[in-house]
Amino acid sequence: SNKPRKKKKKRKTKKNSAGETVEDNELEDIDSLLERIEDPRLAPQSQGGVPADSRPLLYVEHRNLNPENELKRYFGARAVLGDQRPRQRQRQYVRSMWLTAPKNTWPRYSKTGITMQLLDTRRGVQHFTFEHHREYQQVQFKFLDAVESMDPNNIVLLLQMNPYHVDSLLQLSDVCRMQEDQEMARDLIERALYSLECAFHPVFSLTSGTCRLDYRRPENRAFFLALFKHLMFLEKRGCPRTALEFCKLILSLDPENDPLCVLLLIDFLSLRAREYTFLTRLFQEWESHRNLSQLPNFAFSVPLAYFFLSQQEERPELERGQARERAARLLQLALIMFPSVLMPLLDHCSVQPDARVASHPFFGLNAQISQSPALNQLTSLYVGRTHALWKDPAVMAWLEPHVHEVLRMVDAQDTLVQEAEHKRKIRYQSAPRNIYRHIILSEMKEATAALPLEVTSQPVMGFDPLPPLDSIVSYTRPERTSHPSNESTLSLFFRSLLPNFNLQGDMRHDGDDEAGAAQDLNQGVNRLMAAMRDMLANIQFQEPPRDDNPEGDGDWD
């Protein structure tokens, strides 16, 4: 096997001023260098033995945004691509994108009227916003009319004329998902992402983590929602690593306000993708200023991540021991702070607690009844979403002794237990609006059932659920011609049957010209008669079935 070596060209060498030999072709084999860089054994080590990642916490990798790369790792390239490779040679040229791959079945893309502008740059952070041009605003007004009509066919007709209108794609995707057409729902979301990415500013970066979008601007919300819906499809598709990367992208767009509250989801995706080190790093770096431990999902998921790290045999024994200690300490603090999580979690895992735990009031039914509705929403969301991760027998065996240790602390009236009870009474009085928005988008029935009446009583639109109360509006919808308030009961009845019918028609507003009023009345009556004729002409009466035996051959019951 020495033939490849003979074919290699000899590398030219030259000496620099110091007399050292320098190879001109040092970077010839880029693939081998990348493999060396990505080798975990060559990664820089921190003091605790954990590989130190010098990149920003919310750094997004382009390759991890493509679900095919993750599926290839699971099933192999042949199983994922199949016979697609020969067809790609005949495929027409399409623009290369990062968020989604354009499909040949999509309509031909043309400029939609959406652009992105750079607002300002502050402390190394760039603030952008999407803008709607006049032609796109007109389409947006037609879309709002279609939504108010409560007929999805009107949105379909609008998309036939404007195939890349983003809000129409988002709304129709929800309709398809409700009709169990998951493939079409996912395809519409990908088309919306493609439309928005085509409008990116030249300096807008998905990976840097320093580009911001303000959710208060209605033009920006579609991008947040499309990313969120896309990552939910990816997670259901079995691509948690790709979904985690999209989750990091959403969080990097507005990490301070987190309008879709993806912090309630990022821990679950990290555990599903087995990115335990990322989750522990996020907790360590953000705990001091974001109080992540006060969220039930972080309080329980972080010790679970440390437990999984302690089970990795390839790690040094010292590091595994440290992970076990941190997992034990954090799990006990989570059980003390949120005792209402344990019993629903065991119930979802089909695990029967022992007599001491089941009979103790600390973890009993009172723990769930006494907590505030806002805390109940958070705990229900966490249990409903992550209970499958706790079903592992090894995890349950690790959980049991710590539950008994917490009961011992409760019986001993430990100060930690009293402090946690005081915190629960003071905090969690009401949930912020972004948590409600997250629960609605997640569609977790356990958490949705706990939503307050002021949220469930108002209409929620899939293209803009619970808009911010301090929205920054750049353009407004023109006022529609409202029907007069002095309509008769007959007119209201016929307009309920025929929405376009207006008995009073083009009534003049001068009111003093009696002849003009009489003429308007005659026109209104004529319009009413024409509408009734149209309605009666469209009514079809079904003839009763004929009976060949008029005498009848049966008895009345």
Side-chain angles (χ1 to χ4, degrees):
S1 61
N2 293 329
K3 292 182 180 180
R5 295 183 180 179
K6 292 181 181 180
K7 291 182 180 180
K8 288 185 177 179
K9 296 181 180 179
K10 294 183 179 180
R11 295 179 177 178
K12 297 179 181 180
T13 60
K14 59 181 179 180
K15 293 186 178 181
N16 57 9
S17 59
E20 298 176 351
T21 301
V22 180
E23 295 183 355
D24 291 341
N25 254 339
E26 185 104 23
L27 301 177
E28 183 179 2
D29 193 353
I30 298 178
D31 292 336
S32 62
L33 290 175
L34 289 175
E35 289 176 0
R36 290 186 58 195
I37 293 174
E38 295 174 358
D39 191 346
R41 295 173 296 179
L42 301 177
Q45 300 289 321
S46 65
Q47 295 180 356
V50 180
D53 195 348
S54 58
R55 296 176 300 185
L57 179 65
L58 298 180
Y59 176 81
V60 176
E61 295 185 74
H62 278 145
R63 64 176 181 177
N64 288 332
L65 292 175
N66 188 356
E68 286 190 358
N69 294 335
E70 185 174 4
L71 293 174
K72 289 176 188 176
R73 290 196 296 268
Y74 296 152
F75 308 108
R78 186 178 299 275
V80 175
L81 296 178
D83 57 348
Q84 293 181 11
R85 291 182 178 179
R87 295 180 181 177
Q88 287 181 353
R89 297 178 180 177
Q90 303 174 358
R91 182 180 177 182
Q92 61 180 355
Y93 173 77
V94 292
R95 184 176 176 180
S96 177
M97 313 300 285
W98 291 116
L99 295 178
T100 183
K103 300 178 182 178
N104 293 330
T105 56
W106 290 356
R108 184 177 180 86
Y109 178 80
S110 59
K111 290 186 177 181
T112 60
I114 302 181
T115 58
M116 179 183 280
Q117 300 296 330
L118 175 63
L119 296 179
D120 58 0
T121 303
R122 298 190 298 268
R123 299 178 181 178
V125 177
Q126 298 171 316
H127 296 263
F128 295 86
T129 184
F130 285 97
E131 289 186 351
H132 294 172
H133 293 177
R134 180 176 295 275
E135 59 271 19
Y136 193 89
Q137 294 179 14
Q138 299 301 321
V139 179
Q140 188 73 10
F141 299 150
K142 294 179 181 178
F143 164 73
L144 296 177
D145 293 340
V147 171
E148 291 181 355
S149 70
M150 305 296 291
D151 187 359
N153 293 323
N154 293 332
I155 302 178
V156 174
L157 294 175
L158 182 63
L159 276 177
Q160 290 178 352
M161 301 297 297
N162 307 274
Y164 287 95
H165 181 254
V166 180
D167 284 350
S168 297
L169 293 169
L170 296 179
Q171 190 71 22
L172 192 59
S173 174
D174 288 346
V175 175
C176 294
R177 188 167 43 81
M178 295 175 184
Q179 296 177 351
E180 303 298 331
D181 191 352
Q182 301 294 331
E183 188 67 26
M184 177 58 69
R186 188 178 68 191
D187 186 80
L188 293 172
I189 293 297
E190 292 178 358
R191 202 199 302 181
L193 285 175
Y194 175 72
S195 177
L196 290 168
E197 188 173 0
C198 289
F200 279 179
H201 192 276
V203 299
F204 182 80
S205 172
L206 294 171
T207 60
S208 64
T210 59
C211 297
R212 303 286 185 265
L213 287 174
D214 194 346
Y215 193 81
R216 294 177 299 173
R217 298 181 180 271
E219 298 87 346
N220 296 336
R221 295 172 196 164
F223 189 50
F224 283 87
L225 296 171
L227 290 173
F228 189 92
K229 294 174 184 291
H230 185 56
L231 78 86
M232 296 299 290
F233 280 119
L234 289 172
E235 192 274 329
K236 294 177 182 177
R237 190 181 174 187
C239 301
R241 183 64 185 87
T242 310
L244 174 62
E245 210 69 13
F246 274 92
C247 192
K248 290 161 59 178
L249 174 58
I250 298 175
L251 188 58
S252 68
L253 295 177
D254 194 353
E256 296 299 325
N257 299 312
D258 191 12
L260 300 186
C261 208
V262 293
L263 281 177
L264 298 178
L265 176 65
I266 197 168
D267 62 298
F268 168 67
L269 296 176
S270 301
L271 293 174
R272 282 274 330 264
R274 300 183 180 181
E275 292 290 328
Y276 310 127
T277 305
F278 167 76
L279 179 57
T280 55
R281 181 189 173 193
L282 174 65
F283 182 75
Q284 292 171 3
E285 294 187 11
W286 284 26
E287 167 63 16
S288 59
H289 66 283
R290 298 294 289 269
N291 292 326
L292 297 182
S293 60
Q294 301 306 303
L295 294 174
N297 58 309
F298 272 94
F300 282 90
S301 292
V302 172
L304 187 59
Y306 275 118
F307 170 75
F308 287 135
L309 287 174
S310 68
Q311 301 298 305
Q312 296 179 350
E313 297 180 355
E314 66 272 12
R315 293 183 177 274
E317 183 59 34
L318 177 61
E319 181 183 340
R320 294 172 60 188
Q322 293 176 351
R324 277 193 296 268
E325 293 177 1
R326 293 176 182 174
R329 184 178 72 255
L330 292 175
L331 179 61
Q332 293 176 13
L333 291 176
L335 291 170
I336 292 174
M337 186 65 197
F338 306 105
S340 61
V341 173
L342 180 64
M343 299 306 289
L345 183 63
L346 295 179
D347 184 55
H348 277 73
C349 296
S350 302
V351 174
Q352 183 66 30
D354 55 28
R356 184 190 177 200
V357 176
S359 60
H360 202 285
F362 186 73
F363 291 121
L365 186 61
N366 186 45
Q368 303 175 44
I369 298 177
S370 61
Q371 68 182 2
S372 64
L375 183 56
N376 187 30
Q377 294 155 14
L378 295 176
T379 56
S380 301
L381 183 68
Y382 178 74
V383 172
R385 175 175 282 158
T386 60
H387 64 87
L389 299 173
W390 293 82
K391 286 185 176 181
D392 189 350
V395 174
M396 282 295 166
W398 163 68
L399 174 64
E400 184 178 4
H402 297 297
V403 172
H404 288 284
E405 177 62 22
V406 169
L407 290 181
R408 186 196 61 80
M409 298 172 64
V410 171
D411 294 337
Q413 297 182 352
D414 194 293
T415 56
L416 286 176
V417 179
Q418 299 175 359
E419 291 175 0
E421 183 180 0
H422 180 66
K423 290 179 181 178
R424 285 196 303 271
K425 291 181 179 180
I426 296 178
R427 302 171 182 175
Y428 314 107
Q429 296 297 322
S430 62
R433 200 170 179 84
N434 61 339
I435 291 182
Y436 293 149
R437 196 178 295 125
H438 176 89
I439 294 175
I440 292 173
L441 290 173
S442 300
E443 296 183 349
M444 297 294 300
K445 60 180 181 180
E446 293 87 354
T448 306
L451 286 173
L453 184 61
E454 60 267 17
V455 175
T456 57
S457 60
Q458 57 179 303
V460 177
M461 298 298 177
F463 67 94
D464 190 9
L466 296 182
L469 300 178
D470 55 347
S471 298
I472 302 176
V473 180
S474 58
Y475 66 94
T476 57
R477 182 184 180 188
E479 294 184 2
R480 303 182 63 186
T481 55
S482 58
H483 297 279
S485 58
N486 57 346
E487 293 186 49
S488 63
T489 305
L490 184 63
S491 175
L492 292 173
F493 169 71
F494 278 101
R495 190 150 54 81
S496 66
L497 299 176
L498 306 169
N500 296 326
F501 170 73
N502 184 7
L503 174 64
Q504 298 178 350
D506 303 325
M507 185 174 290
R508 298 179 183 178
H509 295 282
D510 50 14
D512 297 331
D513 190 357
E514 296 181 358
Q519 183 179 2
D520 289 335
L521 180 59
N522 291 332
Q523 292 178 357
V525 172
N526 293 333
R527 193 174 294 108
L528 171 61
M529 298 303 296
M532 290 183 64
R533 282 194 297 268
D534 293 340
M535 183 177 66
L536 293 175
N538 293 327
I539 295 178
Q540 298 180 359
F541 296 94
Q542 185 177 3
E543 295 183 2
R546 295 182 178 179
D547 195 350
D548 296 335
N549 185 10
E551 297 291 333
D553 55 358
D555 298 329
W556 291 97
D557 292 335

